[in-house]
Amino acid sequence: MYQFVEGGVCAAKGFLASGVHCGIRKNQTKKDLALIYSQRRCAAAAIYTQNKVKGAPLEVTRAHLADGMAQAILCNSGNANTCNADGMDIANAMCAGAALALHIPEEDIVVASTGVIGQPLPLGPITAALPGLAAALSAEGNAAASEAILTTDLHQKQAAVQFELGGKPCTVGGIAKGSGMIHPNMATMLCFVTTDAAISPAMLQKACKSVADETFNMVSVDGDTSTNDMLAILANGMAENDPIQKEGADYYAFAQALYIVCRQLSRAIAADGEGATKLLECTVEGAPDKDLARRVAKSIICSNLVKTAMFGADANWGRVLCAIGYTAGEFDISRVSAAFSSSAGTVEVCQGGAGIPFSEELAKQVLSQPEIQIQVDLGQGAESATAWGCDLSYDYVKINGDYRT
Amino acid sequence: MYQFVEGGVCAAKGFLASGVHCGIRKNQTKKDLALIYSQRRCAAAAIYTQNKVKGAPLEVTRAHLADGMAQAILCNSGNANTCNADGMDIANAMCAGAALALHIPEEDIVVASTGVIGQPLPLGPITAALPGLAAALSAEGNAAASEAILTTDLHQKQAAVQFELGGKPCTVGGIAKGSGMIHPNMATMLCFVTTDAAISPAMLQKACKSVADETFNMVSVDGDTSTNDMLAILANGMAENDPIQKEGADYYAFAQALYIVCRQLSRAIAADGEGATKLLECTVEGAPDKDLARRVAKSIICSNLVKTAMFGADANWGRVLCAIGYTAGEFDISRVSAAFSSSAGTVEVCQGGAGIPFSEELAKQVLSQPEIQIQVDLGQGAESATAWGCDLSYDYVKINGDYRT
């Protein structure tokens, strides 16, 4: 039904991308300006950080998407353009420059920035680079664009799936950046998704929000909700399917494709968290309601003490219970069971809220793998949720002890 | 009015203490069992962790303090006696043993434990040590007791003040342990306070709660609320002041003494957080209400990104604004100003929600001191609050990557 394919944001029909080093970042080998362009005007949807400090680009994008339509995305890394007195002017000027280079209205441009907060973003390098960036747009440009949006990320993050809507092949693909200041709240880190499916702006926004709640909003690297989180989706309709205008089989098929792409990108963001050596996946089952399942799963993957124990491959399950215990909500801790699992096996550590004997040797093996599952059963309901995080290592401290210089 | 004095929990009249190594901890040079005893039966008050996972000793203590009276405190380190099937039996047996050694009812004993969660606490070493521990009680025993309650703490934490109530000299003194899993929620890490003031159990409980909200509940080392937090206060009345039975000048004088002791211990806990190299004190002024001031101050000192920047002496004030921005509540971010301050000077970094030019050289000097003030003015009210925390260092990761072994 759903088949992973290559190509990220260029996997869907009619989407081109490019990325260059324009000079915002000192390191000349690191690209810092990305452009994504659709050959047709698109239905567009986005969600934004809930932080009261919002990057200027988010405000400009929100205004541009008021009509639910867009055609291109411009994004720089190395500077967040946030808490700057001239932030709105700079973000607007970036759109004006891109509009000129692409021969489209500036209201059809989504703009985003990521990097240091509170340092003026120089417009010159961006304006100078835009004509070349537009000329370099190509269906093979995904790698350049996905590299250009990264900050301290070590790996590019992309995913795309093909599926069918009414017999027509459709594609959903995306790229993302994560790494630090990652704890999305009803929004997400930077993620750009493209699709050739035909779908109305309203249904696209609905799918965007519901999928983000199950994916990006269940990721935490360090508990800090960024000022610049944004998930933006462009749908250009070039798959020629019957346009999706309401909930129904086609909408659910599309939302499922979007979910698969966003889950893949969420896992990639967690695994590539600043300083991370391990991906943590926490599944909570047996919850009386969905919200509680989500809160418990996030409490666990956000706990610095759980994260450092996972870094040290130490089966200190008492810290998991402690994190469950300080989750807001009413529930009975004496019914909780917990286990650690990975490719090396499964070790049950707690039943009925109390410890049970287990092999420390096996636990060490299980927790020494690059991907760890923390499995919790609350034993008091049928709801479940999954959250993704990473361990807390020396390198997280090193990276963030001197980020600006 | 209020004079700092030596002696911790033995500073007030009629209080004796002792501490020994009984064998719960492997390291024979580290004391692990503490006893505090009053020559007279005391009014007693306590507050406990809000974590739904609660250590068995807390449940036993809560039952013993139902009548508002107690005479001794028994505390072990090295094992939290939490999430153990036999936890209540062990905690009750500890009290029974202490009652026998002290010739008092076991209902007059406060019991506490701190250390690893989920490992059975052996009763044998404690029972064997109790007669000697009781025999060693002395007015000079504060140092031994305050050492015996520590876990990964590097420094003993004690404070005492003398003041007068109706012309009678009174003393309030306390000891505490902190270090990791420190993020008290309407409760506190382990802290034991003694006083010779005469005060009713009800007024003592009232003072205990209101002072904890301004002190221990404003401390965070790592955002993890422990399962075993407890603040317990014994008041034996040996100062012979007119007993405090209601709010009034004497109550406020007593509460102020308690506040001074608890603030001192709170600062000591933050400064000695696991792996900490610096004490962070965040003051938020200009808030429309007290709760918001507290939440903003705690957001800032809890941010891993702020904490790592302080470790690196990096004036990355954007992270302070980011942490303010994700604090729950309605307020205007465009009125916020911020500064860093220490014994090396003050550097203003943000006004009206945007950055202002500052000397990076001065900022580096300011942030290289062992005690840093983060000063925030929200510019939209008259309320203020202070919170204490510490930086996040390599050593936090090292200590917690392999805590159990």
Side-chain angles (χ1 to χ4, degrees):
Chain A
M1 283 290 281
Y2 294 93
Q3 172 105 33
F4 279 105
V5 294
E6 298 295 313
V9 285
C10 295
K13 277 182 209 151
F15 285 96
L16 311 175
S18 58
V20 296
H21 172 81
C22 76
I24 299 166
R25 299 175 71 109
K26 293 172 199 162
N27 179 352
Q28 299 210 350
T29 67
K30 169 65 179 79
K31 294 186 175 65
D32 55 13
L33 193 63
L35 187 62
I36 302 167
Y37 172 75
S38 169
Q39 290 167 334
R40 258 197 223 169
R41 198 160 177 249
C42 305
I47 54 177
Y48 312 92
T49 185
Q50 293 300 298
N51 196 312
K52 280 172 281 291
V53 178
K54 285 188 177 61
L58 277 66
E59 304 289 0
V60 171
T61 295
R62 193 196 298 271
H64 287 184
L65 293 190
D67 64 352
M69 301 297 287
Q71 195 164 359
I73 299 171
L74 177 67
C75 176
N76 74 276
S77 61
N79 187 310
N81 190 21
T82 299
C83 295
N84 295 330
D86 66 353
M88 294 294 289
D89 292 344
I90 296 288
N92 278 314
M94 286 172 68
C95 292
L100 201 67
L102 295 168
H103 310 292
I104 60 173
E106 69 180 86
E107 289 74 20
D108 281 348
I109 294 177
V110 168
V111 62
S113 298
T114 179
V116 184
I117 298 171
Q119 289 186 358
L121 172 60
L123 187 61
I126 297 172
T127 312
L130 272 168
L133 192 68
L137 282 169
S138 92
E140 283 74 46
N142 179 66
S146 72
E147 182 199 325
I149 66 171
L150 305 182
T151 54
T152 52
D153 308 60
L154 298 179
H155 304 289
Q156 296 183 29
K157 296 160 189 71
Q158 51 184 298
V161 291
Q162 262 182 5
F163 60 110
E164 288 195 356
L165 286 177
K168 304 279 187 183
C170 287
T171 303
V172 174
I175 59 175
K177 66 83 49 179
S179 225
M181 205 177 270
I182 298 298
H183 182 89
N185 176 19
M186 305 300 286
T188 179
M189 62 292 303
L190 289 185
C191 177
F192 306 123
V193 175
T194 59
T195 178
D196 46 22
I199 181 169
S200 69
M203 295 313 293
L204 191 61
Q205 183 70 39
K206 186 183 178 74
C208 177
K209 172 75 174 68
S210 72
V211 167
D213 280 347
E214 293 284 342
T215 57
F216 296 112
N217 286 349
M218 293 303 288
V219 172
S220 184
V221 166
D222 53 13
D224 277 274
T225 301
S226 163
T227 56
N228 287 48
D229 292 338
M230 183 194 297
L231 163 62
I233 306 186
L234 302 184
N236 69 7
M238 288 172 75
E240 307 293 348
N241 58 301
D242 269 356
I244 301 170
Q245 310 273 10
K246 57 177 175 50
E247 288 193 56
D250 282 1
Y251 172 78
Y252 293 116
F254 173 78
Q256 178 66 15
L258 185 59
Y259 170 73
I260 292 169
V261 168
C262 290
R263 184 183 58 188
Q264 191 83 348
L265 293 171
S266 295
R267 285 172 57 95
I269 285 168
D272 193 21
E274 279 178 339
T277 73
K278 288 168 190 166
L279 170 66
L280 307 183
E281 180 174 87
C282 178
T283 303
V284 173
E285 301 186 324
D289 62 82
K290 188 89 180 167
D291 269 0
L292 180 65
R294 286 180 181 162
R295 286 200 303 274
V296 169
K298 284 194 86 168
S299 265
I300 294 168
I301 57 136
C302 287
S303 160
N304 276 354
L305 289 168
V306 171
K307 288 155 66 80
T308 46
M310 295 299 99
F311 174 62
D314 180 16
N316 196 332
W317 60 270
R319 294 179 177 173
V320 174
L321 269 279
C322 177
I324 297 172
Y326 59 68
T327 306
E330 287 306 311
F331 54 96
D332 181 358
I333 201 77
S334 73
R335 298 198 195 172
V336 174
S337 60
F340 297 113
S341 186
S342 75
S343 60
T346 296
V347 54
E348 296 183 18
V349 290
C350 171
Q351 275 178 4
I356 52 175
F358 62 89
S359 158
E360 290 280 355
E361 197 183 345
L362 174 60
K364 200 82 183 173
Q365 283 170 18
V366 167
L367 297 181
S368 296
Q369 306 307 312
E371 192 176 322
I372 311 291
Q373 275 89 42
I374 304 172
Q375 299 165 331
V376 170
D377 190 334
L378 296 181
Q380 46 209 294
E383 293 293 337
S384 64
T386 301
W388 297 275
C390 59
D391 56 346
L392 173 58
S393 73
Y394 299 119
D395 279 353
Y396 179 86
V397 177
K398 184 173 182 184
I399 292 164
N400 286 303
D402 201 7
Y403 177 62
R404 295 183 314 151
T405 51
Chain B
M1 283 290 284
Y2 294 92
Q3 173 105 33
F4 279 106
V5 294
E6 298 296 311
V9 284
C10 295
K13 279 183 209 148
F15 285 95
L16 312 174
S18 58
V20 297
H21 172 81
C22 75
I24 300 166
R25 298 175 70 109
K26 293 172 197 160
N27 179 351
Q28 299 209 350
T29 66
K30 169 66 180 77
K31 295 188 175 65
D32 55 14
L33 192 64
L35 186 62
I36 303 168
Y37 172 76
S38 169
Q39 291 166 333
R40 258 198 223 170
R41 198 160 177 249
C42 305
I47 53 177
Y48 312 92
T49 184
Q50 294 300 299
N51 195 311
K52 280 173 281 292
V53 178
K54 283 188 178 62
L58 277 67
E59 304 288 1
V60 171
T61 295
R62 192 195 299 271
H64 287 184
L65 293 190
D67 64 352
M69 301 298 286
Q71 194 162 357
I73 300 172
L74 177 66
C75 176
N76 73 276
S77 62
N79 187 309
N81 190 20
T82 300
C83 295
N84 295 330
D86 66 352
M88 294 294 288
D89 293 342
I90 296 288
N92 277 314
M94 286 172 69
C95 292
L100 200 66
L102 295 169
H103 309 293
I104 60 174
E106 67 180 88
E107 290 74 21
D108 281 349
I109 294 177
V110 168
V111 61
S113 299
T114 179
V116 184
I117 298 171
Q119 289 187 357
L121 172 60
L123 187 61
I126 298 172
T127 311
L130 273 169
L133 192 68
L137 282 170
S138 93
E140 282 74 46
N142 179 65
S146 73
E147 182 199 325
I149 66 172
L150 305 182
T151 54
T152 52
D153 307 61
L154 298 178
H155 304 290
Q156 296 183 29
K157 295 162 189 73
Q158 51 184 299
V161 291
Q162 261 180 6
F163 62 109
E164 287 194 356
L165 285 177
K168 306 279 189 183
C170 287
T171 303
V172 174
I175 59 174
K177 66 83 48 179
S179 226
M181 204 178 270
I182 299 297
H183 182 89
N185 176 17
M186 303 299 288
T188 179
M189 62 293 303
L190 290 185
C191 177
F192 306 123
V193 175
T194 59
T195 179
D196 45 22
I199 181 168
S200 69
M203 295 313 291
L204 192 61
Q205 183 71 38
K206 186 183 180 75
C208 176
K209 172 75 175 66
S210 72
V211 166
D213 279 349
E214 294 284 341
T215 56
F216 296 112
N217 287 348
M218 294 304 287
V219 172
S220 184
V221 166
D222 52 14
D224 277 274
T225 301
S226 162
T227 55
N228 286 47
D229 292 338
M230 183 195 297
L231 163 63
I233 306 185
L234 302 185
N236 68 9
M238 287 172 76
E240 306 294 347
N241 59 300
D242 269 356
I244 301 170
Q245 309 273 9
K246 59 177 175 47
E247 287 193 56
D250 282 0
Y251 171 78
Y252 293 117
F254 173 78
Q256 179 66 14
L258 186 59
Y259 170 73
I260 292 170
V261 168
C262 290
R263 184 183 58 190
Q264 191 83 348
L265 293 171
S266 295
R267 285 172 58 94
I269 285 167
D272 194 20
E274 279 177 340
T277 74
K278 288 170 190 164
L279 169 66
L280 307 183
E281 180 174 88
C282 178
T283 303
V284 173
E285 300 185 327
D289 62 82
K290 188 90 181 166
D291 268 1
L292 180 65
R294 286 181 181 162
R295 285 200 303 273
V296 169
K298 284 194 85 167
S299 265
I300 293 168
I301 57 136
C302 287
S303 160
N304 276 354
L305 289 168
V306 171
K307 288 155 66 79
T308 45
M310 295 299 99
F311 173 62
D314 180 14
N316 196 333
W317 61 269
R319 294 179 179 173
V320 174
L321 269 279
C322 177
I324 297 171
Y326 59 67
T327 306
E330 287 306 311
F331 54 96
D332 181 358
I333 201 78
S334 73
R335 298 199 193 172
V336 174
S337 60
F340 297 112
S341 186
S342 74
S343 58
T346 296
V347 55
E348 295 183 18
V349 290
C350 170
Q351 274 177 6
I356 53 175
F358 62 89
S359 158
E360 290 280 355
E361 198 183 343
L362 174 60
K364 199 82 182 174
Q365 283 169 18
V366 166
L367 297 181
S368 296
Q369 306 307 312
E371 192 175 321
I372 311 291
Q373 276 88 42
I374 304 172
Q375 299 165 331
V376 171
D377 191 335
L378 296 181
Q380 46 208 295
E383 294 293 337
S384 63
T386 301
W388 296 276
C390 59
D391 57 345
L392 174 58
S393 73
Y394 299 119
D395 279 352
Y396 179 85
V397 178
K398 185 173 182 184
I399 292 164
N400 286 303
D402 202 7
Y403 176 64
R404 294 184 313 151
T405 52

